[in-house]
Amino acid sequence: MLYIKNFSILGGDKRQIALMKSLVKDGIKIFAAGFDNIAIDEKIIKTNFDEAIKKSEYILLPLPATRDFLSLNAPFCDEKILLKYNFPKKLFDKKVFCGVSQNLRTLSPEWKKVDLIDYSSREEFTIRNSVPAAEGAVALAMQKYEGTIFSSKCLVAGFGKLGRALSHLLFGMGAKVTVSARKLKDLAWIESLNYKAILTKNIKHHSNFDIIFNTIPYMIFDAYTLAKSAKRSILIDLASAPGGVDFDAAKTLGIKAILALSLPGKCAPKTAGLIIKSTIYEIIEEINRRKKSETN
Amino acid sequence: MLYIKNFSILGGDKRQIALMKSLVKDGIKIFAAGFDNIAIDEKIIKTNFDEAIKKSEYILLPLPATRDFLSLNAPFCDEKILLKYNFPKKLFDKKVFCGVSQNLRTLSPEWKKVDLIDYSSREEFTIRNSVPAAEGAVALAMQKYEGTIFSSKCLVAGFGKLGRALSHLLFGMGAKVTVSARKLKDLAWIESLNYKAILTKNIKHHSNFDIIFNTIPYMIFDAYTLAKSAKRSILIDLASAPGGVDFDAAKTLGIKAILALSLPGKCAPKTAGLIIKSTIYEIIEEINRRKKSETN
Amino acid sequence: MLYIKNFSILGGDKRQIALMKSLVKDGIKIFAAGFDNIAIDEKIIKTNFDEAIKKSEYILLPLPATRDFLSLNAPFCDEKILLKYNFPKKLFDKKVFCGVSQNLRTLSPEWKKVDLIDYSSREEFTIRNSVPAAEGAVALAMQKYEGTIFSSKCLVAGFGKLGRALSHLLFGMGAKVTVSARKLKDLAWIESLNYKAILTKNIKHHSNFDIIFNTIPYMIFDAYTLAKSAKRSILIDLASAPGGVDFDAAKTLGIKAILALSLPGKCAPKTAGLIIKSTIYEIIEEINRRKKSETN
Amino acid sequence: MLYIKNFSILGGDKRQIALMKSLVKDGIKIFAAGFDNIAIDEKIIKTNFDEAIKKSEYILLPLPATRDFLSLNAPFCDEKILLKYNFPKKLFDKKVFCGVSQNLRTLSPEWKKVDLIDYSSREEFTIRNSVPAAEGAVALAMQKYEGTIFSSKCLVAGFGKLGRALSHLLFGMGAKVTVSARKLKDLAWIESLNYKAILTKNIKHHSNFDIIFNTIPYMIFDAYTLAKSAKRSILIDLASAPGGVDFDAAKTLGIKAILALSLPGKCAPKTAGLIIKSTIYEIIEEINRRKKSETN
């Protein structure tokens, strides 16, 4: 049991809209600010930011909370909501769920006094999010590649969360999947799933891939590796900054290389919103459990 | 062994370009007409139509050979090549491979004297083509649906070639797959593949699908069925004319319904081109076998 | 709605026991004869044959109804129930469901006057039964083969009902699956499912299989093909008489060849019993529908 | 490159026989002791223990090296080879690969001076071995359960190496798979693979499983949990000592519970032997790399 009666949602995109709709279905009263120019479920109470903050103990900020390190990430809001000085003060004494909290903490010292709970840093969040991210990557590959995913030769560089989800999906679609990793134990996992396993440092000794997906966040596809392995491939870089592809070299070599980030929110906002919800629920349950055991 | 030395390709789209590239790799000399404004593999000999026809015993016409029932289907050609009267006469004594041959035969009586071999009517062609068609349908669904295919509730209406390929793909991607069919034996097949099976005539008693794919070429999704089963669904009609969806009713009901045809050529021209190639090879092998046994 | 109140089960093995248990759960009263020396669900009414026949309009005979062409197939019965002359007469005016009805019809002319409904000849029955048959075949292969099914090289000869179920299962377990068929369209199906396709007549040109499953009921694995293709293989013949393997030649060549028949009943009697039930229900529904439309 | 010319194999079972056969194929000379009463590949040189030890720098002991904490694990050997005092002295200055080395080290102090390399403790070994272990578990379940794995309700308790391999295999065979784990992140993984996820501590709140596989090596299935969750199930305990099932309680409750250990060697000795080979090769490559970098 969650024992939550209401929740205030400040800003966000289609993920928050899906999230609010689902919270309402669970019987939770929702106050929403920052959704001026979009229609949302009529059971959600649209209001202004001050009112919304006042109405609930639980506040939800977007993912990420800010993109420009200045104002709230609220694409459906008519005004810019600045996040420095005054704004965080209003959140003292609230439980504030947010994505990428370090972006806020660097904004102004007041944020350090806010009880920020970063749902995007939870491991189960990242694991769940790797499913929509993998689908987004495959959707992109389907647009760019002129053959079918079925029977295409795919390389997934990296066997972390996204690498696992992606190779699983590609295999399920009938692709011929090669996965790279650094550790022997990961190679053993890869083989036990019926993919071909290669060492990441040996990627340059393999070629003939139709599509290459990079999930490793450091320079793997430098000019040399690109020239050796990716000459005839579509290359999709899914790794967060600084990324793993030398895009200049790719251009020079005539390789179609695409940087694809934030796929869950773009490709499957509904699923991405529900994943935020599940994560928040789990956090609240943990808080409740802790409270309960402290009381006893 | 095919014993083919050369092949002339008259018109066509990206499928023919992929096909020609692959034929060249197999050591066959290619004469291509109708690719004026697009770069093609340099080993392919670009020429004019008359010259191309003269050069080879084997002629390939596009799929379909004509779209406007007047001129050759040749989107990369600078001029319109009319298909009546004179054109077919040039093809007497040639082996002419083409898609949808009945379109030609209705054009002018001369076509009846041409040795037309319709690769698109071969069953193995349609079976193979159902893989890129299914992928195209899923790519479309990914664009339109705001959640992931993974764990989405999908209905595939019809368990013919496309229905089979589509349900297989959706299941491989982790969707919850329901498939409809008319015959008990098909319901048994559907269940043995771990999908949920329903009778097509009972679709109207089921709802809550996120995505509905229709593959049945007669009116299944009439106003009543739409209202009962598709109110919250994305609906993708993949059935050839006359189609299986009342689009007017869908519009009135506010249902997102999309007609999606000719997907293989649009979404995976390379694969679609190779499928044409395989089919032609099989036809030629059959011809050679027949010749051989007649000689003996 | 079935509108069946009771059912009499005469003889049979573990499949009938599972079937009776499930019928009872559906609220149907069951009279059972021929289960003397085995414990069965206490809600089932054990009785003698004459009594059982008298009690219900619906009679169920085993699969097959007779194995020795003389007496009822009733391994749990203390006496031999002879099927000639007198026995069929008791069944006049009953609806008699049975397996392999032709075995009965050849026994004595009285059987021709019995309303025999052969559930085992229905196509949906065979399709459903191919799942437990495939599992039984794989269970056998696991016992005989010293490696894992995962990554083993398997050949499935024949792409009928059992061939389909078997290749699907093997692929799902991570085997490298080759399937043979005669028709081009089946080869296209096989490839579209990501298996390797070969022509049945070309099996002899392939070798190196770890396990070969034959599903074709005529001589495919003659001495020559065995010598060429099966020297290092486990060979499991699943085809009904006359079978597809020259077992003498296999012995001479030192090939482990196993004839494996009636697998569903042996390996998964519970599932096999439920499949009989589903089939009988469908038949009764059809009868009811027909009656209803005749009345109107 | 391995630069190994020869290898001596002392004792072992069918896994070692498969391993030796494969080493010989790789061009390595093999001296084998302890295979008196079984036919092995004729290219393997059978000899006595002293001779075998003398012949190669690389020695391989079985998995485990000893079962009785006294003599070598050598089921095909005519005599008992005692492992104390004298035996280890002969191995000084050799590279000795063995399984479960701690069993040897407790035997006599001389073993501490032997350069023992434990292949069975390597993580990639355990990961690879989980595939034959999972198949062995499923083969057992197929024997004991009267239905098909397809569509059966299976619980896998624990999501470690074996739990992963097992749930993957069951899902691939069409079972309805529930997996338990303790950590939220593992529940997220489980759901992202399309299985049902439950907390291990909540197993007792679920029931109706056809087959339960335990992989957790501490008491999960105590009398209470058995009574609540396993009344109608086949229960297979795969966890190493002390195991996770109260077998006495299971007996009292009339639950079919089976302890199943050492499955890879029993069910798929060939695969298990090749896994030992791959692991040894990787270890030798590491040694060579280290030597090389020390030389430089």
Side-chain angles (χ1 to χ4, degrees):
Chain A
M1 286 296 294
L2 286 173
Y3 309 111
I4 296 183
K5 291 196 176 134
N6 46 53
F7 222 112
S8 289
I9 316 290
L10 312 184
D13 51 30
K14 285 189 168 180
R15 288 173 286 183
Q16 275 69 30
I17 293 174
L19 162 64
M20 292 190 288
K21 197 173 165 183
S22 182
L23 287 168
V24 160
K25 263 195 199 156
D26 290 354
I28 297 170
K29 195 178 256 184
I30 298 297
F31 302 95
F35 298 90
D36 307 322
N37 54 49
I38 191 160
I40 55 177
D41 193 297
E42 52 185 21
K43 286 179 197 141
I44 297 166
I45 302 151
K46 269 195 186 183
T47 180
N48 61 50
F49 283 88
D50 283 346
E51 200 60 21
I53 291 170
K54 224 177 287 169
K55 286 293 195 183
S56 178
E57 187 195 344
Y58 294 101
I59 307 291
L60 183 94
L61 300 185
L63 171 59
T66 180
R67 286 191 190 277
D68 58 6
F69 289 80
L70 193 76
S71 66
L72 188 70
N73 172 13
F76 300 124
C77 185
D78 285 340
E79 40 171 352
K80 255 195 168 12
I81 306 299
L82 299 179
L83 291 178
K84 287 192 180 178
Y85 319 117
N86 217 24
F87 192 90
K89 282 181 191 163
K90 299 175 189 169
L91 299 173
F92 293 173
D93 303 320
K94 302 283 181 181
K95 296 223 165 303
V96 182
F97 293 87
C98 78
V100 201
S101 58
Q102 71 264 36
N103 288 5
L104 290 176
R105 290 208 179 89
T106 58
L107 270 184
S108 72
E110 287 77 9
W111 278 106
K112 280 166 194 149
K113 297 182 207 154
V114 178
D115 184 4
L116 281 179
I117 304 160
D118 191 336
Y119 53 84
S120 70
S121 66
R122 305 264 298 192
E123 205 169 1
E124 66 272 21
F125 177 83
T126 334
I127 292 165
R128 285 199 189 106
N129 239 7
S130 64
V131 171
E135 283 205 9
V138 166
L140 198 60
M142 288 170 116
Q143 278 167 38
K144 302 291 176 185
Y145 178 56
E146 301 218 317
T148 49
I149 300 297
F150 179 86
S151 95
S152 67
K153 283 169 223 125
C154 294
L155 169 66
V156 177
F159 196 59
K161 296 182 186 74
L162 181 50
R164 272 160 220 240
L166 193 48
S167 44
H168 185 73
L169 175 57
L170 290 166
F171 188 84
M173 298 177 75
K176 298 184 203 312
V177 182
T178 300
V179 184
S180 93
R182 270 176 315 147
K183 295 179 199 155
L184 279 182
K185 67 163 198 165
D186 279 335
L187 297 191
W189 275 122
I190 291 165
E191 282 172 0
S192 79
L193 291 163
N194 226 350
Y195 319 142
K196 198 183 157 193
I198 61 174
L199 280 164
T200 296
K201 65 175 182 185
N202 289 342
I203 288 177
K204 54 180 165 294
H205 303 318
H206 295 82
S207 59
N208 264 322
F209 299 111
D210 295 311
I211 315 170
I212 297 175
F213 298 91
N214 177 56
T215 71
I216 307 173
Y218 50 83
M219 187 51 62
I220 297 295
F221 292 93
D222 52 21
Y224 184 78
T225 306
L226 286 171
K228 286 286 174 191
S229 300
K231 278 301 262 298
R232 276 166 207 163
S233 315
I234 307 285
L235 175 56
I236 297 179
D237 189 12
L238 301 158
S240 45
V245 174
D246 183 337
F247 281 93
D248 291 335
K251 210 176 165 184
T252 310
L253 288 158
I255 293 168
K256 256 196 232 173
I258 302 130
L259 181 65
L261 299 176
S262 309
L263 290 171
K266 283 179 202 157
C267 302
K270 189 180 151 189
T271 302
L274 296 179
I275 290 171
I276 296 176
K277 190 186 94 163
S278 305
T279 311
I280 291 173
Y281 275 18
E282 282 161 7
I283 295 171
I284 294 173
E285 270 179 17
E286 276 181 19
I287 294 172
N288 290 347
R289 252 196 318 271
R290 224 176 302 138
K291 266 192 210 156
K292 215 171 148 188
S293 69
E294 280 164 14
T295 325
N296 297 352
Chain B
M1 287 296 295
L2 286 173
Y3 309 109
I4 297 184
K5 290 196 178 135
N6 45 52
F7 221 113
S8 289
I9 317 289
L10 311 185
D13 50 32
K14 285 189 169 183
R15 288 174 286 183
Q16 274 67 31
I17 294 174
L19 162 63
M20 291 191 287
K21 198 173 165 182
S22 181
L23 287 168
V24 161
K25 263 195 200 155
D26 290 355
I28 296 170
K29 195 178 257 185
I30 298 297
F31 302 94
F35 298 89
D36 307 322
N37 54 48
I38 190 160
I40 56 176
D41 195 297
E42 53 185 21
K43 287 180 198 141
I44 297 165
I45 302 151
K46 270 194 185 184
T47 180
N48 60 49
F49 283 88
D50 282 346
E51 198 61 21
I53 290 169
K54 224 176 289 170
K55 287 292 195 181
S56 178
E57 186 195 344
Y58 294 102
I59 309 289
L60 183 93
L61 300 184
L63 170 59
T66 179
R67 286 190 190 277
D68 58 6
F69 288 79
L70 194 75
S71 65
L72 189 71
N73 172 13
F76 300 123
C77 186
D78 285 341
E79 41 171 351
K80 258 196 166 8
I81 306 299
L82 297 179
L83 292 177
K84 288 192 179 178
Y85 317 119
N86 218 23
F87 192 90
K89 284 181 190 163
K90 300 175 190 171
L91 299 173
F92 292 174
D93 301 320
K94 304 281 180 181
K95 296 223 165 302
V96 182
F97 294 87
C98 77
V100 200
S101 58
Q102 73 265 37
N103 289 6
L104 291 177
R105 290 209 180 88
T106 58
L107 271 184
S108 71
E110 286 77 10
W111 279 105
K112 279 170 193 143
K113 298 183 206 152
V114 179
D115 184 4
L116 280 179
I117 304 162
D118 191 335
Y119 52 84
S120 70
S121 67
R122 305 264 297 192
E123 204 168 2
E124 65 271 21
F125 177 83
T126 335
I127 292 166
R128 285 198 188 109
N129 238 8
S130 65
V131 172
E135 283 205 10
V138 166
L140 199 61
M142 287 170 117
Q143 279 167 38
K144 302 292 178 186
Y145 178 56
E146 301 219 318
T148 48
I149 300 296
F150 179 85
S151 93
S152 67
K153 282 170 225 124
C154 293
L155 169 66
V156 176
F159 196 59
K161 295 182 187 77
L162 181 50
R164 271 160 221 241
L166 192 48
S167 46
H168 185 73
L169 175 57
L170 291 167
F171 188 84
M173 297 177 77
K176 299 185 203 312
V177 182
T178 300
V179 183
S180 92
R182 267 176 319 147
K183 294 179 200 154
L184 279 183
K185 66 163 198 164
D186 279 334
L187 297 190
W189 275 122
I190 291 165
E191 283 173 359
S192 80
L193 291 163
N194 225 350
Y195 320 142
K196 199 184 156 190
I198 62 175
L199 280 165
T200 296
K201 65 175 181 184
N202 289 343
I203 288 178
K204 55 180 165 293
H205 303 317
H206 295 82
S207 59
N208 264 321
F209 298 112
D210 295 311
I211 315 170
I212 297 175
F213 298 91
N214 177 55
T215 71
I216 308 172
Y218 50 82
M219 188 52 62
I220 298 295
F221 292 94
D222 52 20
Y224 184 78
T225 305
L226 285 171
K228 286 287 172 192
S229 300
K231 277 301 262 298
R232 277 164 206 162
S233 315
I234 307 285
L235 175 55
I236 297 179
D237 189 12
L238 301 158
S240 46
V245 175
D246 182 337
F247 281 93
D248 291 335
K251 210 175 164 186
T252 311
L253 288 159
I255 294 168
K256 256 195 233 175
I258 303 130
L259 181 65
L261 298 177
S262 309
L263 291 171
K266 284 179 202 158
C267 303
K270 189 181 151 189
T271 303
L274 296 180
I275 290 171
I276 297 176
K277 191 186 94 162
S278 306
T279 311
I280 290 174
Y281 276 19
E282 284 162 5
I283 296 171
I284 294 173
E285 271 179 16
E286 276 181 20
I287 295 173
N288 290 346
R289 250 196 320 271
R290 224 176 302 136
K291 267 192 212 156
K292 218 171 145 188
S293 69
E294 281 164 13
T295 325
N296 298 351
Chain C
M1 287 295 295
L2 287 172
Y3 309 109
I4 297 184
K5 291 198 178 136
N6 44 53
F7 222 113
S8 289
I9 316 290
L10 311 184
D13 50 32
K14 285 189 172 184
R15 288 173 287 183
Q16 274 68 29
I17 293 174
L19 162 64
M20 291 190 287
K21 197 173 166 182
S22 181
L23 287 168
V24 161
K25 263 194 199 156
D26 291 353
I28 296 170
K29 196 178 254 184
I30 298 297
F31 302 94
F35 299 89
D36 308 321
N37 54 47
I38 190 158
I40 55 176
D41 194 295
E42 53 184 21
K43 288 180 197 140
I44 298 165
I45 302 151
K46 270 194 185 185
T47 180
N48 60 49
F49 282 88
D50 283 345
E51 198 61 20
I53 290 169
K54 222 177 290 169
K55 286 292 194 183
S56 178
E57 187 195 343
Y58 295 102
I59 308 291
L60 183 93
L61 300 184
L63 170 59
T66 179
R67 286 190 189 279
D68 57 6
F69 288 78
L70 194 75
S71 66
L72 188 70
N73 172 14
F76 301 122
C77 185
D78 285 342
E79 41 171 350
K80 258 197 167 11
I81 307 298
L82 298 178
L83 292 178
K84 287 193 183 179
Y85 318 118
N86 217 23
F87 191 90
K89 283 182 189 162
K90 299 176 189 168
L91 299 173
F92 292 173
D93 302 319
K94 304 281 180 181
K95 297 224 164 303
V96 182
F97 293 88
C98 78
V100 201
S101 57
Q102 72 265 36
N103 289 5
L104 291 176
R105 290 208 179 89
T106 57
L107 271 183
S108 71
E110 287 78 9
W111 279 105
K112 279 166 196 148
K113 298 183 207 153
V114 178
D115 184 4
L116 281 179
I117 304 161
D118 191 336
Y119 52 84
S120 70
S121 67
R122 304 264 298 191
E123 203 168 3
E124 66 272 21
F125 177 84
T126 335
I127 293 166
R128 285 199 188 106
N129 239 8
S130 65
V131 171
E135 283 204 12
V138 166
L140 198 61
M142 287 170 116
Q143 279 166 39
K144 302 292 177 185
Y145 178 56
E146 300 219 318
T148 49
I149 299 296
F150 179 85
S151 93
S152 66
K153 282 171 225 124
C154 295
L155 169 66
V156 176
F159 196 60
K161 294 182 188 75
L162 181 50
R164 272 160 221 242
L166 192 47
S167 45
H168 186 73
L169 175 57
L170 291 167
F171 189 84
M173 296 177 78
K176 298 184 203 312
V177 182
T178 300
V179 183
S180 92
R182 269 176 317 146
K183 294 179 200 155
L184 280 183
K185 67 163 199 165
D186 279 335
L187 298 190
W189 275 121
I190 291 164
E191 283 173 359
S192 80
L193 291 163
N194 226 350
Y195 320 142
K196 200 183 155 190
I198 62 175
L199 280 165
T200 296
K201 64 175 180 183
N202 289 342
I203 288 177
K204 55 181 164 294
H205 304 315
H206 295 82
S207 60
N208 263 322
F209 299 112
D210 295 311
I211 315 169
I212 297 175
F213 299 91
N214 177 54
T215 71
I216 307 173
Y218 49 82
M219 188 51 64
I220 298 294
F221 292 94
D222 52 21
Y224 184 78
T225 304
L226 285 170
K228 286 287 172 189
S229 300
K231 278 301 261 299
R232 278 165 205 162
S233 314
I234 307 286
L235 176 56
I236 298 179
D237 189 12
L238 302 157
S240 46
V245 174
D246 182 338
F247 281 94
D248 291 336
K251 209 176 168 185
T252 311
L253 287 159
I255 293 169
K256 256 194 232 175
I258 304 131
L259 181 64
L261 297 177
S262 309
L263 291 171
K266 284 179 202 157
C267 302
K270 189 181 151 189
T271 302
L274 296 180
I275 290 171
I276 296 175
K277 190 186 94 162
S278 306
T279 311
I280 290 174
Y281 275 19
E282 283 162 5
I283 295 171
I284 294 174
E285 269 178 18
E286 276 180 19
I287 294 172
N288 289 346
R289 249 197 320 272
R290 223 176 301 138
K291 265 191 210 158
K292 216 172 147 187
S293 68
E294 281 164 13
T295 325
N296 296 353
Chain D
M1 287 297 293
L2 287 172
Y3 309 110
I4 297 183
K5 290 195 179 138
N6 46 53
F7 221 113
S8 289
I9 316 289
L10 313 184
D13 50 32
K14 284 190 170 182
R15 288 173 287 183
Q16 275 67 31
I17 293 174
L19 162 64
M20 292 191 287
K21 196 173 166 183
S22 182
L23 287 168
V24 161
K25 263 195 200 157
D26 291 353
I28 297 171
K29 195 177 255 185
I30 298 297
F31 302 95
F35 298 90
D36 308 323
N37 54 47
I38 190 160
I40 56 177
D41 194 297
E42 50 185 23
K43 288 180 197 140
I44 298 165
I45 302 150
K46 270 194 183 184
T47 180
N48 62 48
F49 282 88
D50 282 345
E51 198 61 21
I53 291 170
K54 225 178 286 169
K55 286 292 195 184
S56 177
E57 186 196 343
Y58 294 101
I59 308 291
L60 184 93
L61 301 184
L63 170 58
T66 179
R67 286 189 190 278
D68 59 6
F69 289 79
L70 194 75
S71 65
L72 188 71
N73 172 13
F76 300 123
C77 185
D78 285 341
E79 41 171 351
K80 254 195 168 11
I81 307 297
L82 297 179
L83 292 178
K84 287 192 181 180
Y85 319 118
N86 217 24
F87 191 90
K89 282 182 190 162
K90 300 176 190 168
L91 299 174
F92 293 173
D93 301 320
K94 303 282 181 183
K95 295 224 165 300
V96 182
F97 293 87
C98 78
V100 201
S101 58
Q102 72 265 34
N103 289 5
L104 291 177
R105 290 209 179 89
T106 58
L107 270 184
S108 73
E110 287 78 9
W111 277 106
K112 280 170 193 144
K113 298 183 206 153
V114 179
D115 184 5
L116 282 178
I117 303 162
D118 191 335
Y119 53 84
S120 70
S121 67
R122 305 264 299 192
E123 204 168 2
E124 65 272 20
F125 177 83
T126 335
I127 293 166
R128 285 200 189 105
N129 238 9
S130 64
V131 171
E135 283 204 12
V138 166
L140 199 60
M142 288 170 116
Q143 279 167 39
K144 302 292 175 183
Y145 178 57
E146 302 219 317
T148 49
I149 300 295
F150 179 85
S151 93
S152 67
K153 282 170 225 125
C154 294
L155 169 65
V156 177
F159 196 59
K161 294 181 187 74
L162 180 51
R164 273 160 221 241
L166 192 47
S167 44
H168 186 73
L169 175 57
L170 290 166
F171 188 84
M173 297 177 76
K176 298 182 203 313
V177 182
T178 299
V179 183
S180 92
R182 268 177 318 146
K183 294 180 201 155
L184 280 183
K185 66 163 198 167
D186 279 335
L187 298 191
W189 275 121
I190 291 164
E191 283 173 359
S192 80
L193 290 163
N194 226 350
Y195 320 143
K196 200 185 156 190
I198 62 174
L199 280 164
T200 296
K201 65 175 180 183
N202 289 342
I203 288 176
K204 55 180 165 292
H205 303 316
H206 295 83
S207 59
N208 264 320
F209 299 112
D210 295 311
I211 315 170
I212 297 175
F213 299 92
N214 177 55
T215 71
I216 307 173
Y218 49 82
M219 188 49 65
I220 297 294
F221 292 93
D222 52 22
Y224 184 78
T225 304
L226 285 170
K228 286 287 175 190
S229 300
K231 278 301 263 296
R232 277 164 205 162
S233 314
I234 307 286
L235 176 55
I236 298 179
D237 190 12
L238 302 157
S240 46
V245 173
D246 182 337
F247 281 93
D248 291 336
K251 208 175 167 184
T252 312
L253 287 159
I255 293 168
K256 256 196 233 176
I258 304 130
L259 181 64
L261 298 176
S262 310
L263 291 171
K266 284 178 203 156
C267 303
K270 188 180 151 191
T271 302
L274 296 180
I275 290 172
I276 297 175
K277 190 186 94 162
S278 306
T279 310
I280 290 173
Y281 275 18
E282 282 161 7
I283 295 171
I284 294 173
E285 269 180 17
E286 275 181 20
I287 295 172
N288 290 347
R289 252 197 317 273
R290 223 176 302 136
K291 265 192 211 156
K292 214 173 148 188
S293 68
E294 280 164 12
T295 326
N296 296 352

